[in-house]
Amino acid sequence: MKKIFKNYKSTIILLCSVIIGGVVGSIMGPRSSVLEPFGKLFINLMFMILVPLVFFSVSSAMANISGMKRLGKIMGSIMLVFLSTALIAAIIGTVGALIMKPTNGLHIDMFKSLMKNAIETQTSEKVSFLNQLVNTFTVSDFVDLLSRKNMLQLVIFSIIFGISVSLSGEKGKPLANILEAGSVTMMKVVKIIMYYAPIGLGCYFAAIVGQLGGQILNGYLRIFLLYIIISVIYYFGFFSLYAFISGGKNAVTVFWKNAITPSVTALATCSSAACIPANLDAVKKIGVPYDISEIVIPLGANMHKDGSVFGGVMKITLLMGLFGKDMTSLSSILGIIGVSLLVGAVMGAIPSGGMIGEMLILSVYGFSPEVLPIIAVVSVIIDAPATLLNSTGNTVCSMLVARLVEGKNWLKSDKEIMPDLNIK
């Protein structure tokens, strides 16, 4: 028992703090908002280090990679794993929505007042689909990279920068060493901040539960329940399956031993970006090679979100049901799957995703911008389980990538990996 507590001490403390926070939030209700600043302090600390952490980790991994052939194999494996798992999620979500019909009990009249109060800033500027994709992957000014709202763009820049350092050969070695030192240092900063995590996450979760408890019981209950059912099946069933594919029974055991802390962080923060430090630590403890983990986790947090794919399915079927559009034809089903895949790729790695996915859905299907608040509420009530799937999914995806790059015995490999940084 003592050994178990020693191995899982940080996880147990973190989990207990979140549970206590949930109980406190339920008892206090809206008054729990007084605890929110203590939670935001932790969230802001995590976001504060996010830009340098991602830059150093990604660019260092690229700069110190053994060769362009390995880099190509890693990136190819990442794309294959991300696309495959996201497609599986889209199919599961679509089948679940068609069977359960979550729009039953909802009708358009329920949302008239909500539609009248649509946020002007979200509807004042209409951006074309192609321009939206351009804005998703690039920024117009370097200074815009220094913002957590542009994490995918920062990841892309870091990849290009790291590759350039690697291509510089011996002349780039000093810079590669600086990037590696920066990566290690930033993880030490994370370790210091994580000492405050139990207090910060507990207070943050208490505020969230206290403020959203009533909303969840509103007319969106069927959507929320369906999402929870799918999430539980996918989290325990498919993540275990992915881990097994990556390295057999031993990989499943190692995965669940190290996945709890990132999972708890995801539930409490509702931000894939805030989970990057915890995920990086988890995959290194699992044994995923350094250059793979430092690419998969930051990249996955920004463009691989199985939970957001499920959310995209719910939002699309909600609008189609409310407006009486056919959802049973093959073209409609393929459309739902395809658009939900895009939603998972473009949703921001911040709480509620920054409305990018919602705007994409409205643009593709031609719905009025006034219906934005209808699906925005869905984002709010599914935010915690969606982030759980998004974040933990990247942990198991790093194992699948390691299997493709290193071979079937990657978990037993003697290859040198980044030292355990022991974030507790």
Side-chain angles (χ1 to χ4, degrees):
M1 189 69 182
K2 188 180 292 186
K3 184 178 180 182
I4 293 176
F5 181 77
K6 183 180 179 181
N7 291 336
Y8 293 93
K9 181 173 68 174
S10 60
T11 298
I12 293 171
I13 293 173
L14 208 57
L15 189 58
C16 288
S17 70
V18 171
I19 293 173
I20 293 171
V23 172
V24 171
S26 300
I27 296 172
M28 294 183 65
R31 291 176 298 162
S32 62
S33 59
V34 298
L35 300 173
E36 191 171 358
F38 298 98
K40 281 191 172 180
L41 174 61
F42 172 72
I43 303 300
N44 287 347
L45 285 170
M46 295 297 279
F47 281 142
M48 182 178 68
I49 66 164
L50 201 55
V51 169
L53 174 65
V54 169
F55 171 73
F56 278 115
S57 63
V58 175
S59 59
S60 172
M62 292 293 180
N64 290 286
I65 218 156
S66 57
M68 289 299 105
K69 184 178 180 180
R70 179 174 172 81
L71 175 59
K73 190 173 183 180
I74 290 175
M75 295 304 295
S77 299
I78 288 174
M79 293 301 107
L80 177 61
V81 169
F82 282 3
L83 182 59
S84 300
T85 54
L87 181 59
I88 291 171
I91 294 172
I92 293 171
T94 302
V95 171
L98 292 175
I99 294 174
M100 298 293 291
K101 296 181 171 49
T103 54
N104 286 356
L106 296 176
H107 53 87
I108 198 66
D109 292 338
M110 296 171 60
F111 301 98
K112 284 184 177 177
S113 61
L114 189 62
M115 290 168 64
K116 289 178 182 176
N117 296 322
I119 305 171
E120 292 184 8
T121 55
Q122 296 287 350
T123 61
S124 59
E125 185 180 353
K126 198 167 184 178
V127 182
S128 70
F129 175 68
L130 290 178
N131 282 331
Q132 196 165 331
L133 284 181
V134 171
N135 294 335
T136 298
F137 294 103
T138 59
V139 292
S140 59
D141 194 345
F142 177 80
V143 71
D144 293 331
L145 290 173
L146 307 179
S147 168
R148 63 180 174 85
K149 296 179 181 178
N150 297 319
M151 290 306 299
L152 181 55
Q153 296 91 326
L154 176 63
V155 169
I156 291 172
F157 171 79
S158 301
I159 290 173
I160 296 173
F161 185 84
I163 291 174
S164 300
V165 173
S166 180
L167 291 173
S168 299
E170 287 301 317
K171 290 185 178 179
K173 277 290 183 184
L175 183 53
N177 293 335
I178 291 174
L179 292 173
E180 185 174 358
S183 179
V184 174
T185 302
M186 290 310 303
M187 290 302 291
K188 292 296 184 183
V189 175
V190 172
K191 179 180 178 180
I192 293 172
I193 294 175
M194 287 298 288
Y195 286 124
Y196 178 67
I199 297 173
L201 293 182
C203 291
Y204 193 81
F205 200 65
I208 293 294
V209 171
Q211 293 173 47
L212 295 184
Q215 264 183 287
I216 292 175
L217 297 177
N218 207 338
Y220 291 87
L221 183 60
R222 288 178 65 90
I223 293 176
F224 179 72
L225 290 177
L226 173 59
Y227 196 93
I228 291 298
I229 292 170
I230 294 176
S231 296
V232 169
I233 294 172
Y234 197 75
Y235 181 77
F236 290 105
F238 282 82
F239 285 172
S240 295
L241 175 62
Y242 295 156
F244 181 80
I245 293 172
S246 76
K249 292 181 180 179
N250 188 34
V252 177
T253 303
V254 173
F255 168 71
W256 286 115
K257 180 180 178 181
N258 293 281
I260 304 302
T261 297
S263 296
V264 172
T265 305
L267 285 172
T269 64
C270 294
S271 169
S272 297
C275 296
I276 289 176
N279 266 331
L280 284 172
D281 182 60
V283 296
K284 287 166 185 171
K285 288 178 179 176
I286 288 171
V288 175
Y290 168 67
D291 53 358
I292 294 176
S293 64
E294 295 287 340
I295 300 171
V296 173
I297 299 302
L299 193 60
N302 291 280
M303 63 179 295
H304 175 254
K305 307 181 189 71
D306 292 345
S308 296
V309 171
F310 286 140
V313 171
M314 301 300 155
K315 294 166 191 174
I316 295 168
T317 53
L318 170 60
L319 291 180
M320 294 179 77
L322 288 175
F323 289 95
K325 292 183 177 289
D326 177 38
M327 290 185 285
T328 58
S329 67
L330 180 60
S331 59
S332 295
I333 293 173
L334 292 177
I336 293 171
I337 293 173
V339 176
S340 62
L341 283 174
L342 288 175
V343 169
V346 304
M347 286 289 280
I350 56 177
S352 297
M355 299 294 175
I356 300 174
E358 287 85 347
M359 295 302 293
L360 177 63
I361 292 171
L362 299 185
S363 173
V364 171
Y365 282 96
F367 288 111
S368 167
E370 275 200 335
V371 305
L372 175 67
I374 295 176
I375 51 178
V377 174
V378 176
S379 290
V380 173
I381 63 175
I382 69 169
D383 208 10
T387 308
L388 172 66
L389 297 182
N390 292 343
S391 176
T392 314
N394 291 326
T395 303
V396 75
C397 279
S398 68
M399 297 171 69
L400 289 170
V401 173
R403 168 67 176 83
L404 292 173
V405 174
E406 297 287 338
K408 63 181 180 180
N409 295 320
W410 69 271
L411 198 57
K412 303 172 185 175
S413 175
D414 294 327
K415 292 179 182 293
E416 182 180 351
I417 61 171
M418 193 69 175
D420 180 9
L421 297 172
N422 194 30
I423 299 176
K424 293 185 178 180

